[in-house]
Amino acid sequence: MVYHSTRGTEHRVDSAQAVLEGLAPDGGLFVPEVLPYINVEACLQENTMDMACRIISAMLPEIRNMPDLVEKAYRGKFQAAELTPTVKAGDMTVLELFRGPTSAFKDVALCMLPQLLTQARGQKGMTDEILILTATSGDTGKAALAGFADVPGVGICVFYPEGGVSAVQRAQMVTQEGNNVAVCAVRGNFDDAQTGVKNLFAAAENGKLPGDSRSLSTANSINIGRLAPQITYYFKAYSDLLRRGEIQVGDQVNFSVPTGNFGDILAGFLAKRLGLPVGTLICASNANNVLTDFIRTGVYDRRRPLHKTISPSMDILVSSNLERLLYFLSDGDTGLVSGLMQRLNTEGFYEVPESLLKKIQTEFWAGYCDDEKASATIKAAWEKTGYLCDPHTAAGWAVAEEYRASTGDNRPMVVLSTASPYKFPGAVLSALTKPESDDEFAQMEQLSSLTGVPVPANLSGLREKPEKHTDVINKEEMLSYVKEIK
Ligand SMILES: *Cc1c(COP(=O)(O)O)cnc(C)c1O
């Protein structure tokens, strides 16, 4: 299957190569020239693992051995064999994406990506080691470390902002085991770490740092190998509703998605394009509401301060995967997309043509939820339905309610739950009661005894684990740091 960039069609590669390269040479994202066919009815009758296999193979047909790869990626790593269970909570259905090894939804993709990458590497006869460089504001780092730990032929280095991640998130990363992992704090904020990583890529020639034999790659959600596995859980949620008799085949279902980089919700859009009866996709943001403004007005404007919120994984001003949506909804107008992206780069904003805005508004609805509203939602959801949500999920929940109230659309609603409440124990506990301690591990215990919801084993065991990665560097030192790690 041919993949090319969202910004031009000259560089054409197959799906295995697209996964290896991650980002197209012109800075655009890889998209398939034509979306594949999927037998939706057959797919909906399968278990999650077979569904994953069918969907990922359809999206990445040149990557062989898919049943084996899916098996290795997921078997035994999630709390439930079905990977991503759905649960009823009042009149919402919650799709729990956080039952994986690091308790964040990124596990669904980052368990699979290493398998896809190493298979593609083997098929293409690549012998050089791959070095994954990732800057993280918290969740991606740990999920990527867990996914890539001890994977042969691959090394990984994660940079996080010193003091910029929660205590739980830091503990998750600095205790990571594995012979091919490095974790390092950078003095500065997330943007400094992210810019540092981008500079490393810019310093590379033919994908390698000067004098270094390793091929650089990234685990961020711009990689199509990260996006494809996320399509599966939309099908899974739909099949759960079918099986419970809540819908009939063909009925449309709405999905509300806590959104940052626009990867998760784009997977929902692709599920719809592959034939799943998806109704409206609801894009939920926090106080960083660039996407809300964009979907309502057609103007994307990043010229605003970045707010630090209780849902840090959505604290983002430039949502990379939106570029893919612009490509698909403009019927593949690479000239338009590349012009818009250039404008964003040089002027900090762009406006899409009226016809494109209309199409976006047919598929999407958007809203945002500030910290105060998120706390109130956590409390109300707990008291009314007995469901304990994390601050990201609370944003999805609140915006779903707002959507229903303002449109009267009563089609079944699935809220995507993207993290365990125990990854953000301070914020969740404070929403319910007064914390007895400032220590996040004590807060976990207090939250668990208050609600009776068990702490996931991967988080409760963290406190006792030895810290292995305590390096802190200045952003100017990132290049020499990367060159030294083995
Ligand atoms: C990454 C993340 C999101 C945002 O997902 P995108 O694909 O970047 O839109 C939402 N919630 C949590 C907990 C996350 O880790």
Side-chain angles (χ1 to χ4, degrees):
M1 195 156 87
V2 174
Y3 274 79
H4 60 66
S5 167
T6 45
R7 300 184 192 177
T9 55
E10 302 77 35
H11 181 68
R12 298 158 71 81
V13 297
D14 71 10
S15 58
Q17 190 65 28
V19 168
L20 281 175
E21 290 184 23
L23 194 65
D26 61 5
L29 309 191
F30 281 115
V31 278
E33 192 166 56
V34 184
L35 279 173
Y37 167 78
I38 282 201
N39 184 336
V40 174
E41 231 165 287
C43 186
L44 288 172
Q45 290 175 7
E46 289 172 332
N47 65 38
T48 317
M49 301 285 269
D50 292 341
M51 256 182 205
C53 193
R54 181 191 291 270
I55 292 166
I56 304 171
S57 300
M59 290 297 294
L60 309 171
E62 286 80 19
I63 298 186
R64 299 191 290 266
N65 287 337
M66 198 56 77
D68 199 32
L69 301 183
V70 167
E71 187 72 22
K72 280 198 213 136
Y74 294 129
R75 182 74 71 198
K77 297 217 190 123
F78 281 61
Q79 281 174 36
E82 56 176 334
L83 308 183
T84 53
T86 49
V87 296
K88 287 299 282 183
D91 55 4
M92 300 287 183
T93 298
V94 181
L95 171 56
E96 296 192 330
L97 303 176
F98 60 83
R99 300 282 178 194
T102 79
S103 299
F105 99 95
K106 293 184 171 68
D107 286 329
V108 177
L110 284 167
C111 283
M112 195 66 213
L113 183 63
Q115 301 298 331
L116 297 172
L117 205 64
T118 44
Q119 175 72 25
R121 176 174 178 264
Q123 285 179 208
K124 296 288 177 189
M126 243 176 105
T127 49
D128 295 334
E129 195 186 322
I130 297 175
L131 178 63
I132 307 280
L133 295 180
T134 297
T136 184
S137 59
D139 287 343
T140 298
K142 177 59 183 184
L145 287 164
F148 282 102
D150 290 327
V151 171
V154 186
I156 176 163
C157 178
V158 169
F159 294 103
Y160 69 93
E162 187 191 24
V165 300
S166 78
V168 173
Q169 288 175 320
R170 178 182 177 277
Q172 280 189 299
M173 291 190 278
V174 301
T175 59
Q176 177 66 45
E177 290 163 16
N179 287 323
N180 61 342
V181 304
V183 179
C184 181
V186 176
R187 294 187 188 95
N189 59 24
F190 171 64
D191 277 335
D192 294 320
Q194 164 120 310
T195 306
V197 167
K198 284 189 182 154
N199 289 344
L200 292 177
F201 277 93
E205 285 156 31
N206 294 324
K208 295 178 182 184
L209 291 171
D212 199 298
S213 66
R214 297 167 296 183
S215 291
L216 300 185
S217 189
T218 166
N220 288 98
S221 64
I222 46 182
N223 195 315
I224 190 71
R226 227 185 105 171
L227 208 52
Q230 294 180 207
I231 300 171
T232 306
Y233 47 73
Y234 287 90
F235 282 79
K236 165 69 169 56
Y238 192 93
S239 82
D240 282 355
L241 292 178
L242 273 179
R243 216 165 305 135
R244 293 195 206 118
E246 292 182 34
I247 54 171
Q248 306 289 315
V249 177
D251 289 352
Q252 289 194 329
V253 173
N254 298 329
F255 290 87
S256 181
V257 188
T259 297
N261 220 5
F262 212 78
D264 200 0
I265 196 167
L266 187 76
F269 173 77
L270 290 175
K272 187 172 186 177
R273 283 279 166 111
L274 293 175
L276 188 71
V278 173
T280 303
L281 288 159
I282 293 146
C283 176
S285 302
N286 60 22
N288 296 296
N289 55 359
V290 188
L291 286 167
T292 311
D293 291 345
F294 172 65
I295 290 171
R296 291 185 179 175
T297 67
V299 178
Y300 193 100
D301 192 344
R302 68 166 165 81
R303 297 170 301 176
R304 57 181 89 195
L306 180 70
H307 302 292
K308 249 180 117 102
T309 73
I310 58 172
S311 43
S313 300
M314 290 155 51
D315 291 348
I316 186 161
L317 294 179
V318 178
S319 299
S320 315
N321 269 295
L322 186 62
E323 182 170 345
R324 285 193 170 106
L325 182 73
L326 299 176
Y327 171 86
F328 286 117
L329 285 182
S330 67
D331 298 319
D333 189 342
T334 54
L336 175 77
V337 176
S338 100
L340 295 175
M341 291 305 122
Q342 195 175 350
R343 185 117 198 245
L344 182 63
N345 224 347
T346 54
E347 292 173 56
F349 78 103
Y350 62 77
E351 179 166 15
V352 297
E354 187 66 24
S355 56
L356 178 51
L357 177 61
K358 286 259 155 57
K359 287 189 197 165
I360 293 169
Q361 290 174 340
T362 311
E363 312 269 359
F364 294 84
W365 194 88
Y368 71 98
C369 168
D370 62 17
D371 282 356
E372 200 182 329
K373 181 124 181 254
S375 298
T377 305
I378 290 170
K379 186 170 162 68
W382 173 249
E383 287 172 356
K384 286 190 201 141
T385 73
Y387 193 80
L388 188 64
C389 41
D390 98 289
H392 303 77
T393 308
W397 187 300
V399 174
E401 283 181 335
E402 188 192 338
Y403 170 77
R404 273 185 176 158
S406 68
T407 63
D409 180 351
N410 273 323
R411 288 176 291 186
M413 176 73 75
V414 176
V415 176
L416 274 61
S417 180
T418 50
S420 160
Y422 290 103
K423 281 202 86 165
F424 308 95
V428 177
L429 186 60
S430 304
L432 302 182
T433 187
K434 197 173 151 38
E436 287 158 8
S437 161
D438 288 338
D439 176 72
E440 286 193 4
F441 291 97
Q443 291 170 345
M444 268 188 207
E445 280 165 35
Q446 191 189 345
L447 184 57
S448 181
S449 56
L450 178 73
T451 60
V453 177
V455 184
N458 79 75
L459 296 179
S460 62
L462 275 180
R463 200 183 217 169
E464 281 72 47
K465 284 192 152 185
E467 294 196 356
K468 294 175 167 272
H469 311 278
T470 51
D471 295 339
V472 184
I473 61 171
N474 295 322
K475 59 186 178 196
E476 297 76 21
E477 298 168 310
M478 288 169 70
L479 177 61
S480 54
Y481 187 85
V482 167
K483 286 189 146 187
E484 272 166 33
I485 55 174
K486 283 285 161 290

